[in-house]
């Protein structure tokens, strides 16, 4: 299966409910955001608090078109917390912050429509 950013792409292959449950998506609050000038594509380094069970994790996110570092702090986001860490240059990204592309292909972050406890799991 291959992820695509093309809104006209057909749906991915059918999966079972257990496959969906294997992807652990949680809500967290961005507690710090900083530029990531070493990244190949414009990105920010995010520090996200997922509550006492999961703790604070870091993520690299290519979200520079719609967001700035100051405006990101305090924002809740959704992220996959059970992928293996990924080395991006000298930075270790521990979670995958989720978003969808706008009409120009720039990432728009996914977030709860109301404040929820950090660590809340998507279902």
């Amino acid at each position: 299966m291959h992820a695509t950013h093309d809104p006209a792409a057909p749906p991915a292959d059918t999966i079972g409910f257990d496959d969906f449950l294997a992807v652990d998506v949680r809500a967290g609050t961005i507690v710090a955001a900083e530029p990531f000038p070493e990244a190949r594509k414009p990105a920010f380094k995010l520090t996200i608090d997922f509550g006492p069970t999961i703790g604070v994790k870091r993520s690299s996110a290519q979200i520079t078109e719609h967001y700035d570092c100051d405006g990101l702090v305090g924002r809740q986001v959704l992220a996959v917390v059970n992928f293996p860490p990924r080395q991006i240059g000298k930075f270790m990204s521990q979670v995958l912050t989720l978003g969808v592309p706008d009409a120009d292909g720039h990432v728009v972050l996914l977030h709860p429509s109301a404040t929820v406890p950090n660590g809340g799991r998507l279902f």
Side-chain angles (χ1 to χ4, degrees), residues 78-93:
L78 295 174
V80 176
V81 299
N82 67 331
F83 283 153
R86 184 172 173 207
Q87 189 76 40
I88 302 173
K90 295 181 180 180
F91 181 77
M92 184 63 73
S93 188

Side-chain angles (χ1 to χ4, degrees), residues 102-123:
D102 67 10
D104 296 319
H106 304 298
V107 178
V108 176
L109 292 171
L110 293 180
H111 61 90
S113 60
T115 302
V116 298
N118 288 334
R121 185 167 183 177
L122 175 77
F123 60 84

Side-chain angles (χ1 to χ4, degrees), residues 4-121:
T4 179
H5 295 77
D6 180 3
D13 295 338
T14 299
I15 62 171
F17 190 67
D18 287 343
D19 294 320
F20 170 73
L21 291 177
V23 180
D24 193 352
V25 177
R26 304 285 183 123
T29 300
I30 298 172
V31 295
E34 57 188 291
F36 190 5
E38 307 89 353
R40 280 181 292 184
K41 294 182 180 178
F44 295 133
K45 296 176 187 177
L46 305 178
T47 303
I48 306 168
D49 181 358
F50 291 98
T53 302
I54 296 171
V56 175
K57 302 290 183 182
R58 303 204 64 205
S59 180
S60 170
Q62 296 173 2
I63 56 173
T64 59
E65 289 292 327
H66 291 295
Y67 306 96
D68 60 50
C69 289
D70 291 339
L72 286 166
V73 174
R75 177 184 292 267
Q76 281 199 305
V77 293
L78 295 174
V80 176
V81 299
N82 67 331
F83 283 153
R86 184 172 173 207
Q87 189 76 40
I88 302 173
K90 295 181 180 180
F91 181 77
M92 184 63 73
S93 188
Q94 300 169 300
V95 299
L96 175 65
T97 305
L98 299 175
V100 294
D102 67 10
D104 296 319
H106 304 298
V107 178
V108 176
L109 292 171
L110 293 180
H111 61 90
S113 60
T115 302
V116 298
N118 288 334
R121 185 167 183 177

